[in-house]
Amino acid sequence: MADFDLVLKGTVVLADRIVEGGHVAVRDGKVAHVGQGAMPAAKERHDLSGALILPGAIDAQVHSLSQKNQEDFIWSTRSAAAGGVTTIVDMPYDEGNLVCSAEAVKIKVDHASPQARVDFALYGTVDPEEGPARIGEMVEAGVAAFKFSTFGTDPKRFPRIPAALLEDCFRAIAPTGLTAGAHNEDDEAVRAAIAKVKAAGITDYRAHGLSRPPLTELLASNQIYETGAETGCPAHVVHCSLGRGYEIAAAYRAQGHRATIECCIHYLTLDEENDVARLGGKAKINPPIRPRAEVEKLWRHVAAGNVTLVSTDHVSWSEDRKTNADMLANASGVPGLEVMVPLFVKGALERGIPLTRAAELMTLNPARHFRLDHAKGALEAGKDADIIVLTPEPYTYDATASGHNVVGWSPYNGIRLPWRVSATYLRGRLVFDGRAVLAEPGTGAFVRPLPTLVAGSAVR
């Protein structure tokens, strides 16, 4: 009689160790056992000699609905499955539905659930005209964190939250135990820099970096962390392109504050002088891609343990929104779900960084950060059997050829990757076999944090 439903054998990569000749055993969609040596009996067994077995990734920053009638969860979660991402955390800035109330959360859950091929959690935010009044109801509705912005991209869909309102929101969130994340660009400083660039007549690839110099990012990061320190709310910078930003976050943590920081895979991969110069609008991201010297600083912070999470900030804009000759006229953001894990593994191996960092920064830490670690985040007994298998099959990435993306363009097209995602399992079920996404829409589920006790009552 089989002891387990599924057993996978290979090099098991955990956040704290690597198990050579290890195996993961699954029963009823949960991890039942992680061991070493002979494979136990199972209904289905795979000896994957030479392969890496990692916990399924949790992408902390995805925008599935930024452009109406474009990507949606039907495509974002398909890309995720093909990339070894078994849970996405979707941002609240949806075109036509700012997620700023319990009703908006419900609308989004009801919309995403029939489409999702992998699991999903949700961010909430606020309407500046309402302030923090609906934060409690969104916690009850199941959001996993809150997102704000110190820069206003759009007054309705992506509004700026002024300093006093940011403080009020942080105070309202603090008792819930959830994290307040913020887009870190100082509105006044950015607008002044944009005006200078336009006055100088600069429109090529250089325009974007010049319009958002390092100080614009660092000023906002300090504001976010100081607001967290003042209110006692866990404060999170959702994307940092500068080594100095990680030093600032580490300083706040050393002072005893809950200050976390996220690095997007594009900041670890692309640089301004080569990639932005070559790609133009297709490499326009806020904050901007920085010079190669800054990229290497970020990897040193990864190695030193100063990075909390690695994510994609994935958004699949239609190509017409990314190809304007005037750099500043393009939409900001790039797709990355399908390739985040292979890109990180490539970068870590090239720099001698242990792959335990992959399991830590893309799975364990995100699960803890969003308070999903009761079910997600590790190959541990009792947790969901979300698993990635990577095999040493060098290939050149091409978003069009893969067929798993709503758009064919990608800033990562043409990059040679040494490891391929050859299988993704969601709760013990094969959802990607290395070529085809097998998960049907509706396979994924909405995941939410466990309730937290606050002053004797349960807050979800």
Side-chain angles (χ1 to χ4, degrees), residues 183-243:
H183 179 110
N184 51 316
E185 292 182 300
D186 183 89
D187 194 273
E188 183 180 11
V190 169
R191 295 194 187 284
I194 289 173
K196 287 182 180 179
V197 170
K198 289 184 175 181
I202 301 170
T203 60
D204 65 9
Y205 80 92
R206 298 169 299 153
H208 189 49
L210 291 171
S211 74
R212 285 166 150 84
L215 187 58
T216 63
E217 185 177 336
L218 299 174
L219 287 172
S221 294
N222 275 287
Q223 178 197 348
I224 293 159
Y225 289 134
E226 198 59 35
T227 305
E230 170 66 22
T231 60
C233 182
H236 180 65
V237 165
V238 300
H239 35 42
C240 180
S241 69
L242 299 161

Side-chain angles (χ1 to χ4, degrees), residues 13 37 56-57 73 88 97 130 139 145 148-149 151 154 186 237 312 337 425 453:
V13 179
F73 283 82
I88 65 170
N97 181 43
E130 289 187 333
V139 175
F148 309 104
S149 182
F151 177 80
D154 180 276
D186 183 89
V237 165
T312 62
L337 272 163
Y425 292 85
L453 289 176

